[in-house]
Amino acid sequence: MDGDRKDSEDQNKNKESKKSEEQGHSNIDKAKKAREENRTAEALELYKKEIQHLIQEIKDESMVAEVKNKLKRQCSIYLSEAETLQKELKDKNGDGEKDENEEEEEEIACKESEDHQVERLVNDITESETPNVTLEDVCGCQDVKDKLKESIIMPIKFPQLFQGRRPTWKGILLYGAPGSGKTMIGKALAGQNPDVAYLRIVCSDLVCKYLEHQEKMVQYLFKRAKSQSGPCILFLDDFEQLFEYEETENISIPKIQTELLYQIDHCAENVYIVAGTLKPWIIQSTFLKRLDKRMLVSLPDQEARRQIFIKNVKPLKNDVKDEDYLIFADKTEGYTGADISSIVRDAAMAPIRKIQNATHFKKVQGPSLTDPEVVVDDLLTPCASQDSMAIEMSWFDVSEDKLSEPTVTNDDILKSLNGTKPSIDEDYLKKLNDFVKTWE
């Protein structure tokens, strides 16, 4: 009986695995059908849809690298086949007897379809929500914040002051270590004023070699920024991605660079260009000269680190004293803001681990989880087995509305801090300092 049941379960698992595999290959089967049975415009559209579908899957950060590489290879094959089919259809239509009006109508329809595709792609990869942060929310970087106020915020508020011999900057480059707050500062610039539009695009999305019409995507991006009803901050994140490539890897990037240079030179007055990068030394000098206001977002100093700890720990249930934050700041010299946030996130899991590992709980007083205004005395929290009030039980035995969350302690944070090293190495800091000496 048990053997029969096991065989049945194995058969069901095999069926589910086969079904999942069939679903995973459904897109490949469609494109294969287009390749084998059709050499028509409909087949070309099918190819394009499958290519876009694969691109969206490739962008999934949770995907296993091996699977992602396989999808990239498959996407490259489809792209090549689609280009071949497009050429065949073009040659075939050229041999027909269509009159000039029909050809013109087809050309217009093709252009409109292409423009619509470009518009949709740019909208898909562009962040445009109004940020809910301001420069006051950024810990440290006071020098950078002051420069940005006079470079962007004041010109937006008092445009009459920045005319003639006092023009605004063409573009701003924020550079510094990963996790130092460049992206947050870009958002904060727009968050200072609700009337300022904010567009952010990650350049690695813009230069994806599986996308078509990349130069037009740059054109549309600036067109969209210009069309805003008021001032617009266009934030180009991971700007180094436009230069971190080999010539044989992506032949379209130089065209994107040329188009971007043109757009910066002819940018509308209401558009403020801000680029963020962690590798300023690989950016071409022609771009550095146009991004003529360059600002180093340095690692947080002691006071900034203390503020970052306070900002991250305060929302948690904790018993950390004010003087403890200075101790944390002293122990994290050379850490980025992101490193400190990671330390606190790890420490925030300490109460969860205490609950999971607890063999005994005790009753404590506290606000009811169903009605915070009511104080109850039958909440349960983990405790040592030697505690006089200890009740032997596991977290499985605790009712959902009776669990009292343990506090995050000073020791929890110090333990996480001691187990976390700074993410920035000496080699990176040397390159950064060399760039500062050259360009600042």
Side-chain angles (χ1 to χ4, degrees), residues 208-224:
C208 177
K209 65 181 180 180
Y210 300 107
L211 294 177
E212 297 180 282
H213 320 302
Q214 291 162 310
E215 305 99 295
K216 286 194 173 184
M217 290 174 66
V218 175
Q219 292 175 13
Y220 177 76
L221 180 64
F222 277 79
K223 180 181 177 182
R224 181 177 171 187

Side-chain angles (χ1 to χ4, degrees), residues 245-264:
Y245 75 102
E246 296 179 3
E247 291 186 2
T248 56
E249 184 181 350
N250 194 333
I251 60 175
S252 64
I253 289 185
K255 297 179 181 178
I256 299 174
Q257 293 174 352
T258 302
E259 183 62 41
L260 186 57
L261 284 172
Y262 176 85
Q263 293 296 337
I264 292 175

Side-chain angles (χ1 to χ4, degrees), residues 365-390:
Q365 190 179 72
S368 170
L369 299 182
T370 56
D371 187 355
E373 295 184 0
V374 177
V375 176
V376 296
D377 55 7
D378 59 348
L379 298 179
L380 293 167
T381 193
C383 68
S385 58
Q386 304 92 323
D387 194 297
S388 60
M389 298 177 62

Side-chain angles (χ1 to χ4, degrees), residues 339-385:
D339 292 336
I340 294 173
S341 295
S342 179
I343 289 171
V344 178
R345 281 199 302 272
D346 182 69
M349 294 301 295
I352 307 301
R353 300 184 190 112
K354 292 173 186 176
I355 294 172
Q356 286 182 318
N357 299 329
T359 58
H360 292 74
F361 286 74
K362 67 178 180 180
K363 290 184 178 181
V364 294
Q365 190 179 72
S368 170
L369 299 182
T370 56
D371 187 355
E373 295 184 0
V374 177
V375 176
V376 296
D377 55 7
D378 59 348
L379 298 179
L380 293 167
T381 193
C383 68
S385 58

